Amino acid sequence: MRDIKLSGIAVMLALGACNAVTNGPDADIGASVRHNMAVQIINPEPVYEEPAPVLANRPALAIERYRTDTITPLPSTRTSDVGGDSGGGGGPN
């Protein structure tokens, strides 16, 4: 029984050594992650210089075109048609 208590205490001491030290030279580890998160998180209360225009008639017109089956099809584009010339471009030396 005494061995179980001693082994339990040894495990607790070993796990206590896993505590992170934040005052050493490694204190800046993770700063780039925090910076990237701050850059990518959206501001929940943005402030704009002027209000965004509201075009309420566009969705209504789109719904009406859908109901009357007069939808304008999108132009088809093939991947081989995009980009014009397909040369490697070395040019004269």
Side-chain angles (χ1 to χ4, degrees), residues 6-42:
L6 287 177
S7 63
I9 292 173
V11 168
M12 284 193 251
L13 289 174
L15 289 176
C18 294
N19 188 8
V21 177
T22 59
N23 59 358
D26 295 333
D28 289 336
I29 291 178
S32 62
V33 173
R34 287 190 297 274
H35 171 75
N36 290 340
M37 286 175 55
V39 169
Q40 295 178 17
I41 293 175
I42 297 174

Side-chain angles (χ1 to χ4, degrees), residues 17 22 28 58 61 77 89:
T22 59
D28 289 336
R58 290 192 69 179
L61 292 173
T77 304

Side-chain angles (χ1 to χ4, degrees), residues 19-88:
N19 188 8
V21 177
T22 59
N23 59 358
D26 295 333
D28 289 336
I29 291 178
S32 62
V33 173
R34 287 190 297 274
H35 171 75
N36 290 340
M37 286 175 55
V39 169
Q40 295 178 17
I41 293 175
I42 297 174
N43 182 3
E45 297 178 11
V47 177
Y48 299 109
E49 293 182 17
E50 58 185 53
V54 178
L55 303 174
N57 63 338
R58 290 192 69 179
L61 292 173
I63 292 171
E64 187 61 31
R65 284 192 307 268
Y66 179 77
R67 287 181 181 158
T68 59
D69 199 25
T70 57
I71 298 173
T72 307
L74 296 174
S76 63
T77 304
R78 296 176 13 167
T79 56
S80 59
D81 293 341
V82 176
D85 294 336
S86 62

